[in-house]
């Protein structure tokens, strides 16, 4: 997979011609238990809201490393993720997964595209990826929320989540491999951070829900961060902060 990713380095990002890819999947209880353990979920019949993203990851990589995807994979930044489900999926279902790409568009720092994973007509995940080519962020300063919990993120969380999710990007696995890509240390997966937040809210979200997050500063590991969550009239607002924001999210 890493070799295929490296071979995409000469892409210029001018057109989007990726064809959707599909497959069926069944849930392995052993795999689900390993994923739940590393993210903090309890084991139950209903799948964690973020778990179908992991089941669709091989198809996502197949599509993104294919000829019709506009961006090279090295240096691609996962900047946002939105998950919508109309009902929980369960571990005894055979799942029909389709991955497609859409909405190639400009960004102040380059260009971005959405990779969409659809599962059995009841779950959809939209991951937005940014290809940086220059410019600067126009985002304003965020106000730090009051933390409700302190999390100590261990140095091996990238390797553990990589083993459970299949996402073994070198920036997450070891300080030396992360330094090759410009990071001081390895960084936590954004989707692990999102899953960890939802595990903290487990049992408090409706069965039909949308969870939207923006990934901000990389979370260097090991690290110490504050998790905050507050419920309002329209859903939850939550965030993960260290010296600055790592993730901000909301539910509806």
């Amino acid at each position: 997979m890493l070799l295929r990713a490296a071979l995409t380095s000469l892409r210029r990002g001018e057109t989007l011609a990726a064809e959707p890819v599909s497959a069926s999947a069944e849930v392995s209880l052993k795999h689900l238990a390993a994923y739940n353990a590393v993210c903090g979920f309890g084991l139950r019949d209903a799948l964690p809201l973020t778990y179908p993203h992991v089941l669709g990851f091989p198809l996502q990589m197949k599509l993104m490393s294919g000829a019709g995807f506009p961006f090279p994979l090295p240096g691609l930044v996962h900047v946002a993720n939105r998950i919508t489900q109309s009902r929980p999926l369960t571990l005894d279902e055979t799942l029909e997964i389709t991955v497609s790409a859409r909405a190639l568009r400009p960004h102040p720092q380059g260009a971005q595209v959405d990779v969409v994973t659809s599962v059995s007509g009841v779950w959809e995940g939209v991951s937005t990826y940014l290809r940086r080519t220059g410019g600067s962020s126009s985002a304003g300063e965020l106000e730090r929320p009051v933390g409700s919990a302190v999390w100590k993120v261990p140095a091996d969380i990238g390797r553990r989540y990589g083993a459970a999710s299949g996402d073994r990007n070198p920036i997450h696995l070891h300080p030396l491999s992360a330094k090759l890509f410009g990071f001081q240390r390895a960084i936590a997966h954004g989707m692990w951070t999102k899953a960890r937040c939802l595990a903290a809210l487990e049992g408090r979200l409706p069965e039909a829900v949308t969870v939207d997050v923006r990934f901000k500063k990389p979370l260097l590991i090991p690290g110490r961060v504050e998790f905050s969550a507050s419920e309002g009239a329209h859903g939850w607002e939550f965030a993960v902060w260290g010296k600055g924001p790592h993730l901000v999210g909301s539910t509806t």
Side-chain angles (χ1 to χ4, degrees):
M1 184 178 66
L2 292 174
L3 177 60
R4 291 183 65 186
L7 294 175
T8 67
S9 296
L10 297 179
R11 291 177 180 166
R12 301 178 62 184
E14 296 176 351
T15 60
L16 173 60
E19 293 293 330
V21 290
S22 300
S24 298
E26 294 186 355
V27 178
S28 159
L29 184 58
K30 181 179 179 181
H31 183 263
L32 176 62
Y35 177 85
N36 286 0
V38 76
C39 296
F41 292 106
L43 188 58
R44 56 188 67 189
D45 288 340
L47 301 182
L49 191 61
T50 48
Y51 186 68
H53 175 88
V54 168
L55 295 179
F57 184 74
L59 290 178
Q60 295 161 22
M61 290 303 301
K62 181 178 180 179
L63 179 139
M64 295 170 72
S65 60
F69 193 74
F71 300 144
L73 270 66
L76 205 59
V77 182
H78 192 184
V79 294
N81 178 269
R82 183 178 71 251
I83 292 174
T84 300
Q85 73 172 19
S86 57
R87 66 163 177 84
L89 295 163
T90 58
L91 60 84
D92 60 347
E93 294 184 65
T94 297
L95 306 177
E96 301 299 327
I97 305 174
T98 299
V99 176
S100 59
R102 68 188 185 199
L104 177 63
R105 57 200 186 274
H107 183 276
Q109 293 178 285
Q112 59 186 7
V113 68
D114 294 335
V115 174
V116 183
T117 304
S118 301
V119 182
S120 298
V122 300
W123 186 99
E124 181 183 80
V126 181
S127 291
T128 301
Y129 291 95
L130 169 66
R131 172 62 174 171
R132 288 190 174 126
T133 56
S136 59
S137 174
S138 59
E141 291 294 323
L142 297 174
E143 182 178 351
R144 186 185 187 107
V146 177
S148 55
V150 174
W151 295 344
K152 292 182 179 180
V153 185
D156 66 347
I157 198 65
R159 294 189 292 275
R160 291 169 55 205
Y161 183 81
S165 68
D167 184 353
R168 294 182 174 89
N169 188 322
I171 64 175
H172 303 300
L173 303 182
H174 193 277
L176 293 179
S177 58
K179 285 180 180 178
L180 295 175
F181 293 88
F183 296 97
Q184 297 174 5
R185 303 194 301 274
I187 65 173
H189 294 73
M191 288 304 295
W192 173 84
T193 311
K194 179 174 183 175
R196 183 67 185 86
C197 291
L198 295 183
L201 297 174
E202 194 169 27
R204 290 183 277 182
L205 300 180
E207 292 189 343
V209 67
T210 294
V211 182
D212 202 351
V213 304
R214 298 290 183 269
F215 302 116
K216 301 295 185 179
K217 297 179 181 294
L219 199 173
L220 297 173
I221 51 178
R224 178 183 179 278
V225 296
E226 291 184 355
F227 169 72
S228 65
S230 59
E231 187 175 17
H234 303 290
W236 287 83
E237 303 283 340
F238 58 94
V240 175
W241 280 67
K243 292 183 178 179
H246 298 297
L247 175 151
V248 293
S250 62
T251 74
T252 53

